[in-house]
Amino acid sequence: MKKPSVKLKIIDMNDAMENPKVLASLKELTLCGLSGMQLTLDRYEDILVQGEEIRGKAIVAYSGAILIAWGLLSWEPDDEVVDFDSSLGVYFQIFVDGNYRRQGIGTKLLARARKIIGSKERLNVSCWSNGATAFYRSNQDQDLIDLFDVLEEE
């Protein structure tokens, strides 16, 4: 299979959450209804209802007009899903459609996330599946903190 031509776009999460079509596309492209990304999107809806701004960005990956993957950068504290303390840096999650995995798309999303936050902040990740664990371990040269490993050590 030929690698798809992939275009990345950055979307402020306030804009994404207020656009029903974009939000539906992001929700569709998650591991499941109880995934970290899905739960984070649900929490973002609560933040907006309270009239607050969301501190987050989506990095979306398109092949033509098809959304095939996305990464979520969040500066929001999260004590519900992974006990993320935003003083640790930035919480980052990725989902790549199964038909497009192992083609470098997740690596591109990770590289773009690194570029967005620069070297002053750390990326904190949660490995929700064995594939995610393998992916992040293959990127150990990055300054990554696996929040699930941190929780297991406590």
Side-chain angles (χ1 to χ4, degrees):
M1 180 179 186
K2 182 183 168 192
K3 286 188 178 184
S5 173
V6 176
K7 182 176 180 178
L8 299 183
K9 180 180 176 183
I10 312 303
I11 304 173
D12 182 274
M13 283 309 298
N14 293 286
D15 297 334
M17 297 299 295
E18 292 175 359
N19 183 323
K21 185 177 178 183
V22 171
L23 181 57
S25 296
L26 295 178
K27 284 186 170 189
E28 185 176 310
L29 202 58
T30 62
L31 190 59
C32 66
L34 295 176
S35 73
M37 294 177 99
Q38 188 72 241
L39 293 171
T40 300
L41 291 173
D42 291 345
R43 201 166 46 78
Y44 282 178
E45 288 176 325
D46 294 339
I47 290 171
L48 287 177
V49 166
Q50 296 170 7
E52 298 176 22
E53 290 283 313
I54 298 167
R55 295 176 297 153
K57 295 186 184 299
I59 308 168
V60 294
Y62 288 93
S63 176
I66 301 169
L67 178 65
I68 59 172
W70 71 292
L72 175 61
L73 281 168
S74 180
W75 287 264
E76 293 290 341
D78 180 351
D79 58 359
E80 297 174 21
V81 180
V82 292
D83 198 26
F84 171 63
D85 176 354
S86 57
S87 70
L88 297 174
V90 182
Y91 183 41
F92 185 59
Q93 302 177 71
I94 293 176
F95 186 85
V96 178
D97 181 294
N99 295 318
Y100 296 92
R101 291 187 184 153
R102 304 200 55 78
Q103 298 180 42
I105 297 165
T107 301
K108 287 180 182 181
L109 291 169
L110 182 58
R112 182 62 60 90
R114 270 264 160 247
K115 187 175 180 180
I116 290 169
I117 69 166
S119 61
K120 294 181 182 177
E121 296 183 276
R122 296 180 80 174
L123 282 178
N124 297 264
V125 299
S126 296
C127 298
W128 293 90
S129 67
N130 291 336
T133 301
F135 169 75
Y136 287 119
R137 286 195 175 139
S138 73
N139 285 283
Q140 283 296 325
D141 58 318
Q142 304 288 334
D143 188 19
L144 301 174
I145 301 171
D146 183 344
L147 294 175
F148 286 154
D149 284 350
V150 171
L151 291 175
E152 288 173 6
E153 291 171 6
E154 293 179 351

